Amino acid sequence: MYAFVPAALFLALFGVSVRADRRRFRNAVYLGLTFIFASIGLLTLVPDLPHGLGGIIVAMVFLVPALGTVALGVFLIGNGLTMVRKEGRRPANLLSFMAGVGIFALISFVLTLGNQGSQRWDAVVGGVVFLAGYVSFLFLCFLAYAYLYGRIKVRGDVDYVVMLGSGLIGGDRVPPLLASRLRKGMEIHDAQIARGGRVPLLLTSGGKGADEKVAEARAMADWLIAQGVPQDHVRLEDRSRTTQENLGFSREIMLAGDPGYRCVVVTNNFHAFRAAMTARKAGVNGQVLGSPTAKYFWPSATIREFVAVFWEHKIVNLGICGAIVALTATLAVNAG
């Protein structure tokens, strides 16, 4: 049972870290390491298990991920084609398609060059697989923990419901993606009132873009009021241009209104975990909840969010990737 000690250690670290703050990316990494070491622990039990059960464990650890990778590649390519058909051929809409193609390109690379009988090529293939494995590990950690984080519920009273802005249609109309956030904010607002708690203020956050006629916060507030929200329940933060500014400027307003405030921030579900990380850095006292997003839009948006999170930790991630490349180059040269 000693083989499960590392998994237990990382599970304990995960629990302590989540209890301290749910909004840290390291929580996702601890969770991923827990699963990896638990899988290794299961493999050490295989020789002592009945043949059928041992085979099931080996299949779970190796075969299921392999088949899952192929299935994921097919799904991403199909989703990419759907994105292009529904949203156009902008680079951001091609992310899932390119990721799916990348998966099959990597498989082809390994199968083609891994059978050359050359130590140099073996070193190169090993390095590429290790590099892809590292990025894939972080992505799966992000995906799993973002899903768990998205299960957070509002508990107790909140003073503010902050709704993050996005681009407007025609410069002054709320698009469906933003309307989803506003409806979620209204649900929280109404639920708080229904349970007899304090009446939270709805704080719309978003400045005026160069191609917009009004500030996003103004358009959002008008949408809420048109839906029946009392005007005195709405506040505006209309200076921000980025998520970081959304949260920073909103924090200033909330602190001015109540230094001991507690809030909930609303964005779309694919953006919730990264927004939560930004909220922590901005010193916002509250968790982030996600509103529904069209299913076909979610994969590309999630990949985009992961790329942003990866880059936010670029010193560590690029350092590790650089070390893998350097080690691969050294092994390839020495294999000469």
Side-chain angles (χ1 to χ4, degrees):
M1 302 301 278
Y2 290 111
F4 290 94
V5 170
L9 174 61
F10 281 110
L11 182 60
L13 288 172
F14 172 74
V16 171
S17 185
V18 167
R19 184 176 178 82
D21 196 329
R22 298 176 183 179
R23 302 171 295 178
R24 292 180 178 273
F25 185 68
R26 69 185 184 192
N27 299 342
V29 176
Y30 288 150
L31 181 63
L33 290 172
T34 298
F35 277 101
I36 284 180
F37 283 106
S39 298
I40 293 173
L42 286 173
L43 288 175
T44 64
L45 299 178
V46 169
D48 300 321
L49 294 175
H51 179 71
L53 183 57
I56 292 174
I57 290 177
V58 171
M60 288 176 58
V61 175
F62 292 109
L63 186 59
V64 171
L67 294 177
T69 299
V70 175
L72 178 63
V74 173
F75 168 76
L76 289 174
I77 290 175
N79 176 257
L81 294 175
T82 300
M83 279 291 293
V84 170
R85 187 173 68 254
K86 290 181 175 290
E87 302 289 336
R89 297 184 180 182
R90 292 185 297 118
N93 296 335
L94 297 174
L95 286 176
S96 58
F97 180 82
M98 291 188 294
V101 170
I103 288 174
F104 286 109
L106 177 63
I107 293 173
S108 299
F109 177 82
V110 171
L111 293 178
T112 301
L113 298 180
N115 295 319
Q116 297 296 314
S118 166
Q119 291 185 342
R120 175 174 293 175
W121 278 116
D122 287 345
V124 171
V125 170
V128 171
V129 170
F130 193 16
L131 188 63
Y134 172 72
V135 176
S136 299
F137 167 72
L138 290 183
F139 177 70
L140 291 175
C141 289
F142 171 80
L143 195 64
Y145 189 71
Y147 175 81
L148 291 177
Y149 186 87
R151 309 279 76 76
I152 288 177
K153 305 295 182 184
V154 179
R155 292 186 174 88
D157 292 340
V158 295
D159 304 290
Y160 293 90
V161 179
V162 182
M163 289 158 290
L164 305 185
S166 66
L168 302 174
I169 297 175
D172 60 358
R173 288 180 288 120
V174 170
L177 197 72
L178 183 52
S180 173
R181 302 180 186 183
L182 298 175
R183 279 191 291 268
K184 182 71 172 181
M186 286 177 59
E187 288 176 10
I188 297 170
H189 171 269
D190 294 345
Q192 289 277 301
I193 295 175
R195 62 185 289 273
R198 68 188 64 162
V199 178
L201 295 175
L202 294 173
L203 178 55
T204 59
S205 178
K208 181 177 178 293
D211 59 344
E212 293 174 335
K213 301 174 184 177
V214 298
E216 293 167 6
R218 180 70 266 166
M220 295 160 69
D222 290 342
W223 190 96
L224 290 169
I225 294 168
Q227 297 297 314
V229 176
Q231 188 169 347
D232 60 348
H233 289 192
V234 181
R235 298 291 184 274
L236 278 68
E237 180 288 297
D238 56 5
R239 296 185 293 156
S240 55
R241 296 291 187 273
T242 65
T243 300
Q244 186 171 1
E245 289 184 353
N246 283 144
L247 294 164
F249 294 152
S250 294
R251 177 177 178 270
E252 292 177 6
I253 293 172
M254 291 186 289
L255 279 174
D258 180 4
Y261 78 91
R262 182 170 177 261
C263 76
V264 169
V265 180
V266 178
T267 184
N268 287 91
N269 51 15
F270 63 83
H271 185 233
F273 181 39
R274 185 161 74 93
M277 294 169 60
T278 305
R280 183 187 67 81
K281 293 178 181 178
V284 172
N285 182 26
Q287 300 296 335
V288 181
L289 272 63
S291 65
T293 306
K295 292 181 179 179
Y296 75 86
F297 192 84
W298 186 84
S300 287
T302 300
I303 292 172
R304 186 168 65 247
E305 292 297 302
F306 169 70
V307 171
V309 170
F310 185 92
W311 192 251
E312 286 176 10
H313 298 82
K314 58 182 175 293
I315 295 177
V316 173
N317 289 325
L318 294 182
I320 293 175
C321 291
I324 293 173
V325 171
L327 177 61
T328 300
T330 300
L331 293 175
V333 170
N334 290 339

